[in-house]
């Protein structure tokens, strides 16, 4: 594989830990590969490329989309998949991360990790001599960003020059990964949220020079008026994250309530602005947590109104599907050797 600049791209055996670890051309190649796999899937054409491989997916934090995407992608590629839930592994409890990594690498051809600190997935990658894929950590969510940008490109027919706004907790893992992906792809990025939840200086220090090189901007603001007439896409995430201390729910809700995505915000951006969300979303009372929030705080909607979520401008379920196609591309590229075909 050769980039547009004539540089050789080699994915085999590499880990997928952060968007920042890959070049623009490499990320574009991943998106192009995901598109091909989506075409195969939609056409019902089998692509069991790895019938003799097996992967382990390790979840210290549970998930619907990430687990299902890795499992279906693995099965579609012909691989065996072992799911280890928070109680299904001794990693970090009775066995060190280093020892777990070395054991799993003897049994499996690839390892996915979804959990807490980035240091955990970094250590897995350090000690495992098979590819390690980051399904989510506290700091980064790279598979989500790939799916989001695949979805944006499908909708707009391009990426470069678009403006993506993340509204709410702009310090979180999704916002970090979207900022990194925006910088790499030449997409203007607006991080709009409370001052206390702004992006870290460390992430900004890595992303700003890349954005400047690629002719796009990164704006950090607490003023939602910055979105007016600019944002092609508005993205948000839950106000109360997985594992969040219930005693802090009220504080978080009050802090983020001014940043709820509603139709007024969408219309003030552009008539063509689309809505994105990594899901799950608290846009109604049809969940246990939604009902609990309603009982305690009287809210029927949180980070996004149901009107926006269910509108034609919402492309959240395209995003959800594209998690599988982009994850499949990442696994394929990091596991594939030409002589195996």
């Amino acid at each position: 594989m050769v980039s547009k600049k004539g540089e050789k791209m080699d994915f085999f055996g590499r880990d997928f830990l952060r968007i920042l670890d890959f070049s623009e051309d490499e990320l574009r190649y991943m998106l192009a590969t995901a598109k091909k796999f989506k075409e195969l899937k939609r056409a019902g054409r089998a692509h069991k490329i790895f019938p003799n491989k097996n992967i382990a997916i390790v979840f210290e934090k549970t998930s619907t989309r990430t687990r299902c995407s890795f499992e279906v992608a693995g099965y579609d590629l012909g691989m065996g998949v072992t799911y280890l839930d928070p109680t299904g592994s001794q990693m970090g409890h009775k066995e060190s991360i280093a020892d777990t990594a070395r054991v799993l690498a003897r049994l499996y051809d690839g390892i996915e990790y979804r959990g807490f600190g980035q240091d955990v997935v970094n250590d897995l990658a350090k000690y495992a001599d098979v590819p390690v894929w980051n399904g989510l950590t506290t700091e980064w969510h790279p598979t989500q960003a790939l799916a989001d940008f695949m979805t944006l490109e499908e909708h707009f027919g391009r990426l470069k020059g678009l403006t993506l706004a993340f509204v709410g907790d702009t310090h979180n893992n999704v916002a970090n990964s979207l900022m990194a992906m925006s910088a790499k792809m030449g997409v203007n990025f607006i991080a709009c949220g409370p001052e206390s939840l702004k992006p870290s200086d460390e992430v900004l220090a890595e992303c700003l020079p890349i954005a400047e090189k690629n002719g796009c901007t990164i704006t950090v603001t607490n003023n939602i008026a910055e979105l007016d007439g600019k944002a092609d896409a508005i993205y948000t995430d839950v106000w109360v994250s997985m594992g969040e201390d219930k005693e802090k729910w009220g504080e978080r809700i009050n802090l983020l309530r001014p940043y709820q995505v509603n139709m007024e915000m969408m219309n003030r951006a552009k008539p063509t602005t689309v809505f994105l969300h990594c899901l799950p979303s608290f846009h109604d009372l049809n969940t246990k947590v939604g009902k609990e929030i309603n009982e305690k705080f009287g809210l029927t909607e949180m980070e996004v109104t149901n009107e926006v979520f269910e509108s034609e401008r919402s492309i959240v379920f395209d995003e959800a599907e594209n998690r599988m196609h982009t994850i499949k591309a990442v696994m394929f590229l990091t596991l594939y050797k030409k002589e195996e075909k």
Side-chain angles (χ1 to χ4, degrees):
M1 289 168 277
V2 180
S3 72
K4 293 179 180 178
K5 300 174 184 176
E7 300 168 347
K8 186 176 180 181
M9 293 188 292
D10 188 5
F11 295 93
F12 177 70
R14 291 175 65 180
D15 304 308
F16 186 72
L17 307 181
R18 305 188 312 161
I19 292 296
L20 291 169
D21 298 334
F22 293 84
S23 70
E24 176 188 346
D25 284 345
E26 287 172 331
L27 293 167
R28 289 194 179 280
Y29 196 87
M30 288 181 188
L31 293 176
T33 303
K35 180 180 178 181
K36 290 178 182 178
F37 277 125
K38 186 171 186 176
E39 291 170 354
L40 289 174
K41 182 77 170 178
R42 290 285 182 90
R45 293 173 58 189
H47 40 282
K48 296 188 181 297
I49 301 161
F50 302 125
N52 299 314
K53 292 190 183 296
N54 296 279
I55 61 170
I57 56 175
V58 182
F59 282 65
E60 291 192 307
K61 280 187 176 181
T62 57
S63 169
T64 301
R65 277 150 300 282
T66 303
R67 176 183 176 178
C68 294
S69 294
F70 269 98
E71 286 193 344
V72 175
Y75 294 141
D76 280 355
L77 290 172
M79 297 188 288
V81 181
T82 300
Y83 170 70
L84 296 173
D85 68 14
T87 63
S89 163
Q90 295 298 338
M91 186 177 77
H93 301 286
K94 292 183 178 180
E95 187 169 48
S96 69
I97 294 166
D99 289 354
T100 301
R102 288 178 285 191
V103 169
L104 292 178
R106 294 292 185 99
L107 304 175
Y108 296 96
D109 299 285
I111 303 166
E112 179 271 353
Y113 171 81
R114 178 184 172 94
F116 298 94
Q118 184 73 14
D119 57 326
V120 178
V121 77
N122 288 345
D123 281 347
L124 282 172
K126 178 180 178 181
Y127 291 102
D129 56 3
V130 298
V132 172
W133 309 299
N134 182 357
L136 173 144
T137 61
T138 302
E139 297 87 349
W140 300 100
H141 199 353
T143 60
Q144 181 66 55
L146 269 186
D148 297 335
F149 274 68
M150 179 180 180
T151 308
L152 285 172
E153 191 164 46
E154 285 177 338
H155 185 83
F156 290 103
R158 64 186 176 94
L159 288 173
K160 195 169 182 65
L162 294 178
T163 296
L164 169 63
F166 186 94
V167 180
D169 180 0
T170 63
H171 187 81
N172 76 10
N173 49 12
V174 175
N176 288 342
S177 297
L178 291 173
M179 183 191 299
M181 192 72 178
S182 294
K184 293 279 187 177
M185 297 290 102
V187 171
N188 301 310
F189 185 77
I190 302 173
C192 181
E195 180 72 18
S196 60
L197 296 176
K198 68 181 182 179
S200 71
D201 292 338
E202 292 78 11
V203 173
L204 281 168
E206 287 193 88
C207 293
L208 283 169
I210 300 170
E212 183 177 1
K213 179 183 175 182
N214 289 325
C216 57
T217 59
I218 294 174
T219 303
V220 179
T221 182
N222 60 10
N223 183 4
I224 61 172
E226 287 284 348
L227 281 58
D228 293 359
K230 298 176 184 176
D232 295 292
I234 294 177
Y235 199 122
T236 194
D237 198 356
V238 293
W239 291 346
V240 180
S241 299
M242 191 184 306
E244 192 90 48
D245 184 352
K246 290 187 178 182
E247 298 300 317
K248 296 182 180 180
W249 281 13
E251 179 184 339
R252 293 277 298 186
I253 288 170
N254 288 333
L255 188 63
L256 290 165
R257 195 186 297 230
Y259 299 94
Q260 182 188 67
V261 178
N262 51 42
M263 198 56 78
E264 180 184 359
M265 180 187 290
M266 296 290 292
N267 290 334
R268 286 174 57 180
K270 290 181 180 180
T272 55
T273 300
V274 296
F275 173 73
L276 298 99
H277 195 303
C278 52
L279 302 182
S281 168
F282 299 129
H283 60 94
D284 57 25
L285 299 180
N286 295 327
T287 64
K288 182 178 178 181
V289 173
K291 290 175 182 176
E292 190 173 353
I293 292 289
N294 175 253
E295 290 171 2
K296 288 188 175 184
F297 304 104
L299 295 176
T300 57
E301 307 159 311
M302 290 185 66
E303 73 278 3
V304 59
T305 63
N306 196 57
E307 180 184 17
V308 171
F309 188 90
E310 295 292 355
S311 72
E312 293 183 356
R313 296 166 74 171
S314 173
I315 54 177
V316 298
F317 295 109
D318 293 332
E319 281 179 271
E321 178 190 347
N322 285 339
R323 289 293 303 284
M324 175 184 63
H325 304 303
T326 48
I327 284 170
K328 191 181 295 183
V330 169
M331 292 198 297
F332 166 75
L333 289 170
T334 55
L335 292 175
Y336 179 75
K337 286 178 101 172
K338 190 173 182 180
E339 58 266 28
E340 290 188 63
K341 190 170 182 180

